[in-house]
Every structure is written in C-alpha cells, then in structure tokens.
Amino acid sequence: MRLEKFISQQLEVSRAIAGREIRARKVTINGEVVRDAGYKVLPDDEIEYDGNPLVVQTGPRYFMLNKPQGYVCSTDDPDHPTVLFFMEEPAAFKLHAAGRLDIDTTGLVLLTDDGQWSHRITSPRHHLEKTYLVEVEEPIDPALVEKFAAGIQLHNEKELTKPAVLEILDEKAARLTITEGRYHQVKRMFAAMGNHVSALHRESIGEIVLDDDLAEGEYRELTEEEVDSIGLPEELKNANSGRERCVRKRIHR
C-alpha cells in the first residue's frame, strides 16, 4: 500500500491532506522521516505520525462490542449514531456488524471487515444459535416453552419459526435461543403470544459469549478461538490462517 493511502486511512482524512502531512515531515518510518507519498508500506515497518505509532493492518479484524441503547448497527445513518462511534480503530469505517441489533436492543454485536466470516453468521442456511435475555410486560405463560419449541406463526409470515429454546427465569424474564434472524423476530414471537417485549439483550452468537468485563460501549478483539468457532469451511480457514492478526486483549473504552 502506498504511504499516502495508508496515512489517509489511519487518520481518516483525504489523500490530499495525507500527502500534505507527509511532505510536512510528520511521518517517520523505522525512525527516519519519509516525505515520499508513494513509498510502499511493508508489514514490518514501524510508522509514526507526530510521534504516535500507527498500526499496519495486515489481516482481517474481528471485534465484540457491548452495544448500548440508542445506537444503530448500520455503518452510516443520517438520523441516529452508529456503533462505529465506539470503534477507536484505524479505518473503522471499513467495519460492519455481523448480525444487527435494533436501536433499543443491547448486548453483543460482532464487527468485522471480513465479509465471508460475517456471511456465516447472517446466512439463514447455517442456523447459528443466538441467545437473548428478554423482559416482557405481562407474566410469561409456562406453556410458551412448548409453543416456542414447536414454532410460532408470525404475522404476515407463511412459515413457522424454527424451534426455539425458552428458559423462564422469573415471572417476566426469560432466556431465548433462536437459530434464525427474521426481522424483529424475538419481539414478534412474544407479540404473537399476546405479550410485549420491554427490554432485549443479546448474550451470545454461536459459541461467542459477550465478555462480562465489557461495560456498555466497550469492545475488544475476538480471540482466534472465537473467530474459528463460527465454523468457516476448511478452505477459508486455510486462507485466513496465512494472514497475520495481532489479538490485543485490552478492553477499549
């Protein structure tokens, strides 16, 4: 990658501004000032801007975020702030949510720039389990356990929902595990049974469980085990294994 493009992505500025900063002697590579905007950045280069180190990204990125209410999972929205607001990462605009949450739903959001990996999460063919904590307005009928397991007829839907596991926690709270991602599915399932969801929080996607150490708005990188747990085909696993990826354990606030 050309140095000009790298600085542009890192600082999230235009290439013209990046070139200006390079010519202003603000960029060093391996301790030496570099003013050539066409310099080819190498994976092992140690690059600094104004004395601050910049990370050379050489592979796909994977993060978990504890999403608060009031944020949407799209990359751009004219009316609401997006979850990218929390991502203090180079070229954060390249990340996207692998499985969205509604604006008023909290909990686990996975963010990545790996389209094949996120497709494994969102594709209905893979039936990946997603678990939610649900609070409702009316007492939960114990009969819903069997009804959810058998499938629910949603309004304006031809097919029943796939079998879901409902665990009643108390009178108005439950844990629900589904394997689909229909529009507002959890809320619509309870609505079809005459109840209204007042709060919804996603705990897990597949084997990836929201880290208890993450407060709302905080995020961390996924471990290699978490990334691999999504179940990529072997040929894609092999392709990804050749890419370098530094997993930082720290929590980003």
Side-chain angles (χ1 to χ4, degrees), residues 114-142:
D114 185 342
Q116 292 175 322
W117 186 81
S118 63
H119 179 69
R120 295 287 298 184
I121 293 173
T122 57
S123 173
R125 295 191 299 111
H126 298 120
H127 310 305
L128 197 64
E129 289 187 347
K130 304 170 187 68
T131 299
Y132 299 82
L133 285 178
V134 189
E135 295 181 13
V136 292
E137 292 185 349
E138 303 297 330
I140 300 173
D141 183 351

PDB file of all heavy atoms in Angstrom, residues 114-142:
ATOM      1  N   ASP A 114     -14.341  -8.726   7.435  1.00  0.00           N
ATOM      2  CA  ASP A 114     -14.258  -9.998   6.727  1.00  0.00           C
ATOM      3  C   ASP A 114     -15.665 -10.414   6.291  1.00  0.00           C
ATOM      4  O   ASP A 114     -16.456 -10.923   7.082  1.00  0.00           O
ATOM      5  CB  ASP A 114     -13.639 -11.053   7.649  1.00  0.00           C
ATOM      6  CG  ASP A 114     -13.403 -12.396   6.964  1.00  0.00           C
ATOM      7  OD1 ASP A 114     -14.005 -12.644   5.905  1.00  0.00           O
ATOM      8  OD2 ASP A 114     -12.606 -13.192   7.493  1.00  0.00           O
ATOM      9  N   GLY A 115     -15.983 -10.176   5.021  1.00  0.00           N
ATOM     10  CA  GLY A 115     -17.325 -10.440   4.525  1.00  0.00           C
ATOM     11  C   GLY A 115     -17.710 -11.908   4.536  1.00  0.00           C
ATOM     12  O   GLY A 115     -18.863 -12.258   4.801  1.00  0.00           O
ATOM     13  N   GLN A 116     -16.761 -12.802   4.243  1.00  0.00           N
ATOM     14  CA  GLN A 116     -17.066 -14.232   4.238  1.00  0.00           C
ATOM     15  C   GLN A 116     -17.400 -14.723   5.645  1.00  0.00           C
ATOM     16  O   GLN A 116     -18.311 -15.533   5.835  1.00  0.00           O
ATOM     17  CB  GLN A 116     -15.883 -15.014   3.666  1.00  0.00           C
ATOM     18  CG  GLN A 116     -15.648 -14.768   2.177  1.00  0.00           C
ATOM     19  CD  GLN A 116     -14.404 -15.473   1.686  1.00  0.00           C
ATOM     20  OE1 GLN A 116     -13.396 -15.531   2.382  1.00  0.00           O
ATOM     21  NE2 GLN A 116     -14.470 -16.002   0.479  1.00  0.00           N
ATOM     22  N   TRP A 117     -16.674 -14.208   6.622  1.00  0.00           N
ATOM     23  CA  TRP A 117     -16.915 -14.614   8.012  1.00  0.00           C
ATOM     24  C   TRP A 117     -18.275 -14.131   8.486  1.00  0.00           C
ATOM     25  O   TRP A 117     -19.038 -14.890   9.091  1.00  0.00           O
ATOM     26  CB  TRP A 117     -15.796 -14.051   8.892  1.00  0.00           C
ATOM     27  CG  TRP A 117     -15.822 -14.494  10.319  1.00  0.00           C
ATOM     28  CD1 TRP A 117     -15.358 -15.673  10.823  1.00  0.00           C
ATOM     29  CD2 TRP A 117     -16.318 -13.749  11.445  1.00  0.00           C
ATOM     30  NE1 TRP A 117     -15.527 -15.707  12.191  1.00  0.00           N
ATOM     31  CE2 TRP A 117     -16.110 -14.541  12.594  1.00  0.00           C
ATOM     32  CE3 TRP A 117     -16.897 -12.492  11.574  1.00  0.00           C
ATOM     33  CZ2 TRP A 117     -16.481 -14.114  13.863  1.00  0.00           C
ATOM     34  CZ3 TRP A 117     -17.267 -12.060  12.843  1.00  0.00           C
ATOM     35  CH2 TRP A 117     -17.055 -12.865  13.972  1.00  0.00           C
ATOM     36  N   SER A 118     -18.603 -12.879   8.200  1.00  0.00           N
ATOM     37  CA  SER A 118     -19.891 -12.346   8.644  1.00  0.00           C
ATOM     38  C   SER A 118     -21.056 -13.036   7.937  1.00  0.00           C
ATOM     39  O   SER A 118     -22.137 -13.191   8.509  1.00  0.00           O
ATOM     40  CB  SER A 118     -19.956 -10.828   8.430  1.00  0.00           C
ATOM     41  OG  SER A 118     -19.860 -10.494   7.070  1.00  0.00           O
ATOM     42  N   HIS A 119     -20.827 -13.488   6.707  1.00  0.00           N
ATOM     43  CA  HIS A 119     -21.891 -14.205   5.985  1.00  0.00           C
ATOM     44  C   HIS A 119     -22.249 -15.505   6.697  1.00  0.00           C
ATOM     45  O   HIS A 119     -23.416 -15.910   6.716  1.00  0.00           O
ATOM     46  CB  HIS A 119     -21.450 -14.501   4.558  1.00  0.00           C
ATOM     47  CG  HIS A 119     -22.463 -15.261   3.766  1.00  0.00           C
ATOM     48  ND1 HIS A 119     -23.665 -14.708   3.366  1.00  0.00           N
ATOM     49  CD2 HIS A 119     -22.474 -16.542   3.311  1.00  0.00           C
ATOM     50  CE1 HIS A 119     -24.366 -15.614   2.688  1.00  0.00           C
ATOM     51  NE2 HIS A 119     -23.666 -16.735   2.654  1.00  0.00           N
ATOM     52  N   ARG A 120     -21.258 -16.147   7.317  1.00  0.00           N
ATOM     53  CA  ARG A 120     -21.535 -17.373   8.056  1.00  0.00           C
ATOM     54  C   ARG A 120     -22.473 -17.102   9.237  1.00  0.00           C
ATOM     55  O   ARG A 120     -23.228 -17.973   9.652  1.00  0.00           O
ATOM     56  CB  ARG A 120     -20.229 -17.984   8.579  1.00  0.00           C
ATOM     57  CG  ARG A 120     -19.264 -18.471   7.527  1.00  0.00           C
ATOM     58  CD  ARG A 120     -19.732 -19.737   6.872  1.00  0.00           C
ATOM     59  NE  ARG A 120     -19.860 -20.848   7.795  1.00  0.00           N
ATOM     60  CZ  ARG A 120     -20.181 -22.082   7.435  1.00  0.00           C
ATOM     61  NH1 ARG A 120     -20.426 -22.358   6.171  1.00  0.00           N
ATOM     62  NH2 ARG A 120     -20.269 -23.043   8.330  1.00  0.00           N
ATOM     63  N   ILE A 121     -22.402 -15.884   9.759  1.00  0.00           N
ATOM     64  CA  ILE A 121     -23.242 -15.529  10.902  1.00  0.00           C
ATOM     65  C   ILE A 121     -24.655 -15.173  10.454  1.00  0.00           C
ATOM     66  O   ILE A 121     -25.643 -15.570  11.069  1.00  0.00           O
ATOM     67  CB  ILE A 121     -22.614 -14.349  11.671  1.00  0.00           C
ATOM     68  CG1 ILE A 121     -21.297 -14.805  12.314  1.00  0.00           C
ATOM     69  CG2 ILE A 121     -23.574 -13.794  12.727  1.00  0.00           C
ATOM     70  CD1 ILE A 121     -20.516 -13.681  12.952  1.00  0.00           C
ATOM     71  N   THR A 122     -24.765 -14.442   9.366  1.00  0.00           N
ATOM     72  CA  THR A 122     -26.065 -13.905   8.955  1.00  0.00           C
ATOM     73  C   THR A 122     -26.850 -14.821   8.024  1.00  0.00           C
ATOM     74  O   THR A 122     -28.060 -14.686   7.915  1.00  0.00           O
ATOM     75  CB  THR A 122     -25.877 -12.551   8.256  1.00  0.00           C
ATOM     76  OG1 THR A 122     -24.995 -12.711   7.127  1.00  0.00           O
ATOM     77  CG2 THR A 122     -25.248 -11.537   9.214  1.00  0.00           C
ATOM     78  N   SER A 123     -26.169 -15.756   7.363  1.00  0.00           N
ATOM     79  CA  SER A 123     -26.868 -16.612   6.405  1.00  0.00           C
ATOM     80  C   SER A 123     -27.841 -17.548   7.121  1.00  0.00           C
ATOM     81  O   SER A 123     -27.460 -18.250   8.068  1.00  0.00           O
ATOM     82  CB  SER A 123     -25.864 -17.448   5.605  1.00  0.00           C
ATOM     83  OG  SER A 123     -26.552 -18.395   4.802  1.00  0.00           O
ATOM     84  N   PRO A 124     -29.104 -17.589   6.679  1.00  0.00           N
ATOM     85  CA  PRO A 124     -30.081 -18.481   7.322  1.00  0.00           C
ATOM     86  C   PRO A 124     -29.764 -19.958   7.117  1.00  0.00           C
ATOM     87  O   PRO A 124     -30.292 -20.813   7.823  1.00  0.00           O
ATOM     88  CB  PRO A 124     -31.406 -18.092   6.639  1.00  0.00           C
ATOM     89  CG  PRO A 124     -31.008 -17.476   5.337  1.00  0.00           C
ATOM     90  CD  PRO A 124     -29.712 -16.777   5.599  1.00  0.00           C
ATOM     91  N   ARG A 125     -28.892 -20.276   6.170  1.00  0.00           N
ATOM     92  CA  ARG A 125     -28.560 -21.690   5.900  1.00  0.00           C
ATOM     93  C   ARG A 125     -27.743 -22.316   7.031  1.00  0.00           C
ATOM     94  O   ARG A 125     -27.696 -23.536   7.165  1.00  0.00           O
ATOM     95  CB  ARG A 125     -27.771 -21.825   4.590  1.00  0.00           C
ATOM     96  CG  ARG A 125     -28.558 -21.426   3.355  1.00  0.00           C
ATOM     97  CD  ARG A 125     -27.836 -21.837   2.089  1.00  0.00           C
ATOM     98  NE  ARG A 125     -26.538 -21.189   1.985  1.00  0.00           N
ATOM     99  CZ  ARG A 125     -25.376 -21.829   2.084  1.00  0.00           C
ATOM    100  NH1 ARG A 125     -25.356 -23.123   2.347  1.00  0.00           N
ATOM    101  NH2 ARG A 125     -24.239 -21.184   1.947  1.00  0.00           N
ATOM    102  N   HIS A 126     -27.092 -21.496   7.850  1.00  0.00           N
ATOM    103  CA  HIS A 126     -26.167 -22.044   8.842  1.00  0.00           C
ATOM    104  C   HIS A 126     -26.779 -22.196  10.232  1.00  0.00           C
ATOM    105  O   HIS A 126     -26.173 -22.808  11.102  1.00  0.00           O
ATOM    106  CB  HIS A 126     -24.916 -21.161   8.904  1.00  0.00           C
ATOM    107  CG  HIS A 126     -24.172 -21.125   7.603  1.00  0.00           C
ATOM    108  ND1 HIS A 126     -23.948 -19.957   6.893  1.00  0.00           N
ATOM    109  CD2 HIS A 126     -23.623 -22.118   6.862  1.00  0.00           C
ATOM    110  CE1 HIS A 126     -23.291 -20.242   5.788  1.00  0.00           C
ATOM    111  NE2 HIS A 126     -23.083 -21.530   5.743  1.00  0.00           N
ATOM    112  N   HIS A 127     -27.976 -21.639  10.450  1.00  0.00           N
ATOM    113  CA  HIS A 127     -28.730 -21.878  11.690  1.00  0.00           C
ATOM    114  C   HIS A 127     -27.878 -21.635  12.941  1.00  0.00           C
ATOM    115  O   HIS A 127     -27.878 -22.447  13.876  1.00  0.00           O
ATOM    116  CB  HIS A 127     -29.290 -23.300  11.719  1.00  0.00           C
ATOM    117  CG  HIS A 127     -30.034 -23.683  10.475  1.00  0.00           C
ATOM    118  ND1 HIS A 127     -31.094 -22.948   9.973  1.00  0.00           N
ATOM    119  CD2 HIS A 127     -29.861 -24.723   9.607  1.00  0.00           C
ATOM    120  CE1 HIS A 127     -31.546 -23.520   8.861  1.00  0.00           C
ATOM    121  NE2 HIS A 127     -30.813 -24.590   8.623  1.00  0.00           N
ATOM    122  N   LEU A 128     -27.165 -20.539  12.965  1.00  0.00           N
ATOM    123  CA  LEU A 128     -26.306 -20.230  14.104  1.00  0.00           C
ATOM    124  C   LEU A 128     -27.158 -19.773  15.288  1.00  0.00           C
ATOM    125  O   LEU A 128     -28.015 -18.917  15.155  1.00  0.00           O
ATOM    126  CB  LEU A 128     -25.317 -19.127  13.717  1.00  0.00           C
ATOM    127  CG  LEU A 128     -24.096 -18.939  14.612  1.00  0.00           C
ATOM    128  CD1 LEU A 128     -23.207 -20.175  14.566  1.00  0.00           C
ATOM    129  CD2 LEU A 128     -23.309 -17.718  14.167  1.00  0.00           C
ATOM    130  N   GLU A 129     -26.913 -20.354  16.452  1.00  0.00           N
ATOM    131  CA  GLU A 129     -27.714 -20.014  17.632  1.00  0.00           C
ATOM    132  C   GLU A 129     -27.393 -18.612  18.135  1.00  0.00           C
ATOM    133  O   GLU A 129     -26.229 -18.206  18.178  1.00  0.00           O
ATOM    134  CB  GLU A 129     -27.460 -21.022  18.756  1.00  0.00           C
ATOM    135  CG  GLU A 129     -28.037 -22.396  18.483  1.00  0.00           C
ATOM    136  CD  GLU A 129     -27.924 -23.310  19.689  1.00  0.00           C
ATOM    137  OE1 GLU A 129     -27.175 -22.964  20.643  1.00  0.00           O
ATOM    138  OE2 GLU A 129     -28.571 -24.366  19.703  1.00  0.00           O
ATOM    139  N   LYS A 130     -28.442 -17.898  18.526  1.00  0.00           N
ATOM    140  CA  LYS A 130     -28.301 -16.570  19.129  1.00  0.00           C
ATOM    141  C   LYS A 130     -29.173 -16.558  20.378  1.00  0.00           C
ATOM    142  O   LYS A 130     -30.354 -16.906  20.325  1.00  0.00           O
ATOM    143  CB  LYS A 130     -28.739 -15.485  18.144  1.00  0.00           C
ATOM    144  CG  LYS A 130     -27.992 -15.526  16.820  1.00  0.00           C
ATOM    145  CD  LYS A 130     -28.625 -14.602  15.792  1.00  0.00           C
ATOM    146  CE  LYS A 130     -27.982 -14.785  14.425  1.00  0.00           C
ATOM    147  NZ  LYS A 130     -28.295 -16.120  13.835  1.00  0.00           N
ATOM    148  N   THR A 131     -28.583 -16.147  21.501  1.00  0.00           N
ATOM    149  CA  THR A 131     -29.288 -16.195  22.779  1.00  0.00           C
ATOM    150  C   THR A 131     -29.522 -14.793  23.313  1.00  0.00           C
ATOM    151  O   THR A 131     -28.616 -13.951  23.292  1.00  0.00           O
ATOM    152  CB  THR A 131     -28.489 -17.022  23.801  1.00  0.00           C
ATOM    153  OG1 THR A 131     -28.338 -18.366  23.303  1.00  0.00           O
ATOM    154  CG2 THR A 131     -29.209 -17.073  25.136  1.00  0.00           C
ATOM    155  N   TYR A 132     -30.737 -14.568  23.811  1.00  0.00           N
ATOM    156  CA  TYR A 132     -31.165 -13.254  24.294  1.00  0.00           C
ATOM    157  C   TYR A 132     -31.761 -13.360  25.696  1.00  0.00           C
ATOM    158  O   TYR A 132     -32.425 -14.351  26.021  1.00  0.00           O
ATOM    159  CB  TYR A 132     -32.242 -12.661  23.373  1.00  0.00           C
ATOM    160  CG  TYR A 132     -31.813 -12.431  21.958  1.00  0.00           C
ATOM    161  CD1 TYR A 132     -31.818 -13.469  21.028  1.00  0.00           C
ATOM    162  CD2 TYR A 132     -31.407 -11.172  21.522  1.00  0.00           C
ATOM    163  CE1 TYR A 132     -31.427 -13.261  19.714  1.00  0.00           C
ATOM    164  CE2 TYR A 132     -31.018 -10.952  20.213  1.00  0.00           C
ATOM    165  CZ  TYR A 132     -31.031 -12.003  19.323  1.00  0.00           C
ATOM    166  OH  TYR A 132     -30.638 -11.800  18.013  1.00  0.00           O
ATOM    167  N   LEU A 133     -31.513 -12.326  26.488  1.00  0.00           N
ATOM    168  CA  LEU A 133     -32.273 -12.125  27.717  1.00  0.00           C
ATOM    169  C   LEU A 133     -33.459 -11.243  27.376  1.00  0.00           C
ATOM    170  O   LEU A 133     -33.288 -10.183  26.757  1.00  0.00           O
ATOM    171  CB  LEU A 133     -31.411 -11.464  28.786  1.00  0.00           C
ATOM    172  CG  LEU A 133     -30.374 -12.344  29.483  1.00  0.00           C
ATOM    173  CD1 LEU A 133     -29.576 -11.510  30.481  1.00  0.00           C
ATOM    174  CD2 LEU A 133     -31.034 -13.523  30.185  1.00  0.00           C
ATOM    175  N   VAL A 134     -34.643 -11.667  27.775  1.00  0.00           N
ATOM    176  CA  VAL A 134     -35.872 -10.974  27.392  1.00  0.00           C
ATOM    177  C   VAL A 134     -36.650 -10.572  28.633  1.00  0.00           C
ATOM    178  O   VAL A 134     -36.851 -11.389  29.545  1.00  0.00           O
ATOM    179  CB  VAL A 134     -36.760 -11.877  26.505  1.00  0.00           C
ATOM    180  CG1 VAL A 134     -37.920 -11.075  25.934  1.00  0.00           C
ATOM    181  CG2 VAL A 134     -35.956 -12.532  25.397  1.00  0.00           C
ATOM    182  N   GLU A 135     -37.094  -9.319  28.676  1.00  0.00           N
ATOM    183  CA  GLU A 135     -38.020  -8.858  29.705  1.00  0.00           C
ATOM    184  C   GLU A 135     -39.317  -8.461  29.013  1.00  0.00           C
ATOM    185  O   GLU A 135     -39.294  -7.805  27.969  1.00  0.00           O
ATOM    186  CB  GLU A 135     -37.441  -7.668  30.472  1.00  0.00           C
ATOM    187  CG  GLU A 135     -36.198  -8.006  31.277  1.00  0.00           C
ATOM    188  CD  GLU A 135     -35.659  -6.815  32.030  1.00  0.00           C
ATOM    189  OE1 GLU A 135     -36.376  -5.794  32.123  1.00  0.00           O
ATOM    190  OE2 GLU A 135     -34.516  -6.900  32.529  1.00  0.00           O
ATOM    191  N   VAL A 136     -40.441  -8.879  29.599  1.00  0.00           N
ATOM    192  CA  VAL A 136     -41.742  -8.629  28.988  1.00  0.00           C
ATOM    193  C   VAL A 136     -42.666  -7.929  29.981  1.00  0.00           C
ATOM    194  O   VAL A 136     -42.403  -7.874  31.183  1.00  0.00           O
ATOM    195  CB  VAL A 136     -42.382  -9.947  28.498  1.00  0.00           C
ATOM    196  CG1 VAL A 136     -41.589 -10.525  27.333  1.00  0.00           C
ATOM    197  CG2 VAL A 136     -42.485 -10.957  29.635  1.00  0.00           C
ATOM    198  N   GLU A 137     -43.784  -7.401  29.471  1.00  0.00           N
ATOM    199  CA  GLU A 137     -44.689  -6.614  30.303  1.00  0.00           C
ATOM    200  C   GLU A 137     -45.658  -7.475  31.107  1.00  0.00           C
ATOM    201  O   GLU A 137     -46.072  -7.097  32.209  1.00  0.00           O
ATOM    202  CB  GLU A 137     -45.470  -5.630  29.425  1.00  0.00           C
ATOM    203  CG  GLU A 137     -44.604  -4.528  28.826  1.00  0.00           C
ATOM    204  CD  GLU A 137     -45.421  -3.501  28.068  1.00  0.00           C
ATOM    205  OE1 GLU A 137     -46.621  -3.763  27.828  1.00  0.00           O
ATOM    206  OE2 GLU A 137     -44.863  -2.447  27.717  1.00  0.00           O
ATOM    207  N   GLU A 138     -46.040  -8.626  30.560  1.00  0.00           N
ATOM    208  CA  GLU A 138     -47.005  -9.495  31.232  1.00  0.00           C
ATOM    209  C   GLU A 138     -46.325 -10.782  31.696  1.00  0.00           C
ATOM    210  O   GLU A 138     -45.302 -11.184  31.142  1.00  0.00           O
ATOM    211  CB  GLU A 138     -48.164  -9.839  30.278  1.00  0.00           C
ATOM    212  CG  GLU A 138     -48.905  -8.639  29.722  1.00  0.00           C
ATOM    213  CD  GLU A 138     -49.596  -7.830  30.799  1.00  0.00           C
ATOM    214  OE1 GLU A 138     -49.996  -8.438  31.815  1.00  0.00           O
ATOM    215  OE2 GLU A 138     -49.748  -6.602  30.627  1.00  0.00           O
ATOM    216  N   PRO A 139     -46.871 -11.445  32.712  1.00  0.00           N
ATOM    217  CA  PRO A 139     -46.296 -12.713  33.167  1.00  0.00           C
ATOM    218  C   PRO A 139     -46.199 -13.725  32.017  1.00  0.00           C
ATOM    219  O   PRO A 139     -47.076 -13.780  31.153  1.00  0.00           O
ATOM    220  CB  PRO A 139     -47.287 -13.185  34.243  1.00  0.00           C
ATOM    221  CG  PRO A 139     -47.907 -11.920  34.747  1.00  0.00           C
ATOM    222  CD  PRO A 139     -48.002 -11.014  33.549  1.00  0.00           C
ATOM    223  N   ILE A 140     -45.117 -14.488  32.007  1.00  0.00           N
ATOM    224  CA  ILE A 140     -44.867 -15.453  30.936  1.00  0.00           C
ATOM    225  C   ILE A 140     -45.622 -16.749  31.229  1.00  0.00           C
ATOM    226  O   ILE A 140     -45.447 -17.365  32.286  1.00  0.00           O
ATOM    227  CB  ILE A 140     -43.363 -15.734  30.798  1.00  0.00           C
ATOM    228  CG1 ILE A 140     -42.616 -14.442  30.476  1.00  0.00           C
ATOM    229  CG2 ILE A 140     -43.111 -16.779  29.713  1.00  0.00           C
ATOM    230  CD1 ILE A 140     -41.113 -14.586  30.495  1.00  0.00           C
ATOM    231  N   ASP A 141     -46.437 -17.160  30.288  1.00  0.00           N
ATOM    232  CA  ASP A 141     -47.186 -18.410  30.402  1.00  0.00           C
ATOM    233  C   ASP A 141     -46.208 -19.579  30.236  1.00  0.00           C
ATOM    234  O   ASP A 141     -45.509 -19.673  29.229  1.00  0.00           O
ATOM    235  CB  ASP A 141     -48.246 -18.463  29.309  1.00  0.00           C
ATOM    236  CG  ASP A 141     -49.133 -19.692  29.396  1.00  0.00           C
ATOM    237  OD1 ASP A 141     -48.830 -20.591  30.206  1.00  0.00           O
ATOM    238  OD2 ASP A 141     -50.111 -19.767  28.630  1.00  0.00           O
ATOM    239  N   PRO A 142     -46.111 -20.495  31.209  1.00  0.00           N
ATOM    240  CA  PRO A 142     -45.213 -21.653  31.084  1.00  0.00           C
ATOM    241  C   PRO A 142     -45.454 -22.472  29.822  1.00  0.00           C
ATOM    242  O   PRO A 142     -44.545 -23.152  29.338  1.00  0.00           O
ATOM    243  CB  PRO A 142     -45.512 -22.473  32.347  1.00  0.00           C
ATOM    244  CG  PRO A 142     -46.011 -21.463  33.333  1.00  0.00           C
ATOM    245  CD  PRO A 142     -46.790 -20.463  32.512  1.00  0.00           C
TER     246      PRO A 142
END
